[in-house]
Amino acid sequence: MAPFLLFLTLLIPSAVAVTTCQKDSSLAGFRSDLAMVQHQLRGVVTILDGCSFNVSQFDMLSGSDRVVWWGAAGDSFRNLTSGFQISAMPLMRTYRSESVTVRLLTNISWESISALAVWDVATASDFGHLLLGNVSVDSPALSPNPAPAPSPISGNADAPLPSRRLSHNQPTMFDNCRALSPTYRLRWTLLPEANSIAIGLEAVVGSQYYMAFGWADPQAASATMIHADVAVSGFTEDGVPFVEDYFITEYSECLLNKDGKVEGVCPDTIYEGSDPVGLVNNTKLIYGHRRDGVAFVRFDRPLISKDEKYDVRVNKAENMTVIWALGLMRPPDSLRPYYLPQNHGGPKLTTYGFFTLNVSEEVNECVGPLDAEDKEDQDLIIADGKTSLIVTSGPAMYYPNPPNPAKVIYINKKEAPHLRVERGVPVTFSIQAGHDVALYITSDPIGGNATSHNASETIYAGGADFEGVPASPKELIWEPDRNTPDQVYYQSFFGQKMGWKVQVVDGGLSDMYNNSVLLDDQQVTLFWTLSDDSISIAARGEKKSSYLAIGFGTGMVNSYSYIGWIDDEGKGHVNTYWIDGKDALGVHATSENITYVRCRSENGIITFEFTRPLNPSCNGRVECKNIIDPTTPLKVIWAMGAQWSSDHLSEKNMHSVTSSKAVRVLLLRGSAEAEQDLRPVLAVHGFMMFIAWGILLPGGILAARYLKHVKGDGWYQTHVYLQYSGIAIVLLGVLFAAAEIRGFYITSLHVKFGVTAIVLACIQPLNAYFRPKKPANGEISSSKRIMWEYFHAIVGRSAIVAGTIALFTGMKHLGNRYDSENVESLTWALIIWVLVATLLVMYLEYLKVLRERKDRSSVRGNWVLGNEEEDDSIDLLHPNRTIAEPNSNARLEVQLEPLNR
């Protein structure tokens, strides 16, 4: 009994403490909107008294099981991460326009709180917040448009909401909301005293989509988009929101007609040519963001505009027909520097629609937040194990897990991307982020060495020593294994929340293909595997797009292209084309024999695969010439765009971003190099080979064959000196080429013929050293001598033939490798040189025949392989040799004797 009484004695003060409340708090009655940061958080917070507050119109997508109400000394990164839990109320579910009352913990008072937030303790993540009073700011606020401190107002939680025009309202909050479709909402607040209406467009769409809303022509007999005044909003490739006035004159993309007039869905400014004083573009962007896969743009437009030509006058008290649409948009280019909305496509009330709206009526059809299936808006990088990931640091612009410090980690020039790796595939990081950013792979989503914030973690790779700068990068190689969790994090060992998620998956493109390279500007990765008679290819974009194209050639014109895209039903396609022009009429579909075709899109990232023969088995069609020679560098370009279709191509299918130059892919070596001009060393190599095989070595052979009738050994000295000089230049030229390309690869036809010619040429000096002795005058040549003469002549002439072929294949290799404009003229010059040399040989051979016919007094006929004047008793290869001059005046004596002697 005594212990029980003691328990009650201890419990009573606690109960009194829980129920005690400071009713006279100076903040009682304050009302403010929550600033949306993540998870589609919305709500109006009203402080009831010193220990409780109410949240009305509360929207929030669910997070982890550790989401709580949080208090901090301010909304900076340092203040929020060092904050504290202020209520025992859990926030583990999705809230849909609800009203909740929250009580503070007993040891918490409003005086200790300057910022009130919804906080995920597991990831140190801010879902949204508001400021209660004066805040000491020690770093930039995390909200793009933070709300100033609210002003006190009278009333209770159930009183009508004040006008949204108060200074502490958030741009995501409006008086009215209407659901246009399951994924598209219209929000608005009427501002009649300012002759304005604030409009918010909110939709679950990709970053390359537009959101359009406006008023139809009041004079039209039925609902139509023709002559409608619409605002088109969206996001640029850099994630910056925009909105602009458009006027619709035709159901088409904005183009010039035959009369030179603009028609279609065009900006108001295009109809007038310019808008220097802002008379026709009357929409004013207020705010925009992409959060959790949902796009949101807020703008103001006048009710009665000064532009009476393209703007519809909005009568705030009347029912008026409005129109809306969603669809892909084409980014600006040099010809049309404005966004071009494409046809919305899809069914009515899903991608477009009409309805009647009275902006003065109160409407609230939006219950709960929009929930996208794909909530990952940040860039995705898929590590392939072949290419190093460049790790740098930079300013935080769109960090995916706020709050965040001012500087965060970038990978391949992308801010805190979502990284995907494969188990068993090594990932190489080249760390160049500075000495204050040491990379490591951890189980802790906050990073910065978990022991510094009293947490535990598992470190999978990296650590305090893995820091570097561009001049001296540090390399980290990490190979996830089967024990690595499905999700880990890359972070800085010295600072918290600088990196983001690493998704660990089983298998992928790196396991399926033997080789991969990054193409120009690191925006597309090419994978391939060679077999005996075919090649399997995959291409993956590194940024979001609606289609991805790769082409074989140095530019878009005269290239064979492969394009992968996803249609409106979510089905992937891969088509082949021959492109011979810079417009849609120059893109011709082909019928290449491609198999094992696949195409998919993940978070807007297109990946497609196919297999094709190296040499197409067809004739007559243009694609039959699309031959892939693995021994020759394959020139590859790429492009991305907003929309593609299998037929009826037009200007809307043109690319929005493309490679600036071709990349030469070395299929056999598994590497790539940028397209560039002819290297000077290789030019010297070609010139040296022409001197050797085109002049010196053929000259030595001609001297041995056609100068033997000249007195003395001049023919022999010319022959030897030219041959030795030619061989020396050939060997030196080979060293030049091998040093420039950093290796000696016997893969191409040019190299094979060149090596053959060099081997045959090097045999000749050895052959001359071991030649059999020539018989004396009157003696019969030995069989060894005859065989040597044949061998020496055949090998020498074969070397010249192989060397000449190597010259021509070298010119062809030069054209394939560098696409030089002078290759064709140089080839013709070489052909002419060979023809002239052939004619010279024919002429010299003719003179030799005439000379032999005149010389009928020889004891022995001249044979093409020998010479009666050559003295083999002397070492012809010795530098100090002396050769006896033949006595031309010597007379052959024949002694006659009687037969009967």
Side-chain angles (χ1 to χ4, degrees), residues 63-246:
S64 74
D65 58 356
R66 299 182 64 190
V67 181
V68 297
W69 291 103
W70 193 257
D75 64 347
S76 69
F77 170 71
R78 185 170 64 88
N79 284 332
L80 282 173
T81 53
S82 60
F84 45 90
Q85 184 175 348
I86 65 171
S87 172
M89 177 183 177
L91 300 170
M92 297 184 297
R93 61 181 178 88
T94 295
Y95 289 83
R96 304 181 183 277
S97 302
E98 300 180 32
S99 180
V100 296
T101 299
V102 184
R103 294 191 64 84
L104 301 181
L105 294 173
T106 56
N107 59 340
I108 301 297
S109 66
W110 291 118
E111 285 70 21
S112 62
I113 303 173
S114 293
L116 173 66
V118 176
W119 187 261
D120 189 343
V121 178
T123 59
S125 183
D126 177 25
F127 288 7
H129 64 276
L130 58 83
L131 300 180
L132 295 177
N134 295 329
V135 181
S136 58
V137 178
D138 55 3
S139 68
L142 59 94
S143 175
N145 286 296
S151 302
I153 59 173
S154 59
N156 54 56
D158 298 326
L161 292 177
S163 170
R164 294 293 177 209
R165 297 186 293 280
L166 295 178
S167 61
H168 60 275
N169 288 338
Q170 288 296 323
T172 57
M173 300 294 290
F174 295 83
D175 290 345
N176 306 280
C177 183
R178 176 158 181 168
L180 305 180
S181 77
T183 60
Y184 190 17
R185 291 176 175 177
L186 166 70
R187 298 179 183 270
W188 77 94
T189 295
L190 187 62
L191 307 170
E193 67 279 5
N195 185 36
S196 177
I197 182 173
I199 296 176
L201 301 180
E202 182 181 36
V204 179
V205 291
S207 58
Q208 67 272 27
Y209 278 70
Y210 70 85
M211 300 178 292
F213 172 80
W215 275 261
D217 182 7
Q219 307 301 322
S222 59
T224 177
M225 291 187 178
I226 299 298
H227 297 158
D229 168 25
V230 297
V232 175
S233 64
F235 294 84
T236 68
E237 289 78 4
D238 297 326
V240 178
F242 73 89
V243 64
E244 189 167 358
D245 263 354
Y246 277 66

Side-chain angles (χ1 to χ4, degrees), residues 807-825:
L807 289 178
F808 281 102
T809 54
M811 298 300 295
K812 182 178 182 298
H813 187 68
L814 176 68
N816 292 335
R817 189 179 182 90
Y818 294 102
D819 198 30
S820 175
E821 298 177 354
N822 299 322
V823 169
E824 185 175 354
S825 59

Side-chain angles (χ1 to χ4, degrees), residues 229-518:
D229 168 25
V230 297
V232 175
S233 64
F235 294 84
T236 68
E237 289 78 4
D238 297 326
V240 178
F242 73 89
V243 64
E244 189 167 358
D245 263 354
Y246 277 66
F247 188 72
I248 303 176
T249 55
E250 293 288 343
Y251 291 119
S252 68
E253 194 177 81
C254 187
L255 294 170
L256 288 173
N257 60 21
K258 296 179 180 180
D259 299 330
K261 296 182 179 180
V262 178
E263 63 181 12
V265 183
C266 302
D268 291 1
T269 55
I270 301 302
Y271 291 106
E272 294 299 317
S274 64
D275 186 31
V277 293
L279 294 179
V280 295
N281 185 22
N282 295 303
T283 56
K284 180 182 178 183
L285 176 68
I286 303 300
Y287 175 77
H289 69 221
R290 284 190 59 82
R291 300 279 190 275
D292 317 300
V294 179
F296 173 83
V297 175
R298 177 176 182 143
F299 60 93
D300 286 354
R301 63 149 290 167
L303 296 173
I304 301 176
S305 173
K306 296 179 180 179
D307 175 18
E308 299 182 354
K309 189 173 182 181
Y310 304 110
D311 287 355
V312 172
R313 296 169 65 94
V314 178
N315 191 323
K316 62 184 180 183
E318 291 185 0
N319 293 334
M320 301 185 69
T321 302
V322 294
I323 64 173
W324 60 271
L326 295 171
L328 291 165
M329 62 182 173
R330 180 181 171 189
D333 53 35
S334 58
L335 296 178
R336 288 176 288 184
Y338 45 87
Y339 283 90
L340 296 173
Q342 307 297 300
N343 187 285
H344 44 72
K348 187 176 181 180
L349 301 182
T350 299
T351 59
Y352 76 100
F354 307 86
F355 66 95
T356 301
L357 176 67
N358 188 324
V359 295
S360 296
E361 295 180 355
E362 293 186 3
V363 179
N364 188 9
E365 299 178 352
C366 308
V367 179
L370 287 176
D371 191 0
E373 293 183 5
D374 178 13
K375 297 181 175 61
E376 298 290 349
D377 270 334
Q378 76 274 17
D379 291 312
L380 172 68
I381 292 181
I382 303 175
D384 54 36
K386 301 291 184 181
T387 307
S388 296
L389 301 177
I390 309 300
V391 180
T392 57
S393 59
M397 304 295 292
Y398 305 102
Y399 185 76
N401 184 34
N404 49 267
K407 183 172 73 171
V408 297
I409 292 175
Y410 282 65
I411 297 181
N412 288 356
K413 301 180 180 180
K414 296 177 172 60
E415 179 188 356
H418 189 167
L419 183 61
R420 182 178 299 166
V421 300
E422 301 169 7
R423 291 182 174 88
V425 178
V427 182
T428 302
F429 298 90
S430 178
I431 305 170
Q432 309 172 19
H435 296 303
D436 58 340
V437 179
L439 185 73
Y440 77 127
I441 309 300
T442 173
S443 61
D444 181 25
I446 302 175
N449 189 6
T451 57
S452 64
H453 51 271
N454 300 320
S456 61
E457 67 178 337
T458 301
I459 298 178
Y460 300 95
D465 297 332
F466 287 86
E467 45 84 10
V469 294
S472 179
K474 180 73 172 182
E475 187 176 84
L476 169 63
I477 300 178
W478 170 50
E479 183 174 342
D481 57 27
R482 60 189 182 90
N483 296 320
T484 306
D486 291 340
Q487 181 170 293
V488 292
Y489 302 85
Y490 63 91
Q491 294 286 359
S492 169
F493 196 82
F494 300 140
Q496 296 182 0
K497 298 191 70 175
M498 295 184 68
W500 192 224
K501 296 178 181 178
V502 181
Q503 181 185 7
V504 184
V505 298
D506 294 323
L509 292 177
S510 298
D511 295 334
M512 298 167 57
Y513 295 89
N514 294 339
N515 308 280
S516 67
V517 295
L518 276 171

Side-chain angles (χ1 to χ4, degrees), residues 22 47 117 135 154 163 278 348 461 558 680 694 721 739 759 762 781:
Q22 295 289 338
I47 296 179
V135 181
S154 59
S163 170
K348 187 176 181 180
N558 296 328
Y721 291 148
V759 171
C762 292
S781 298

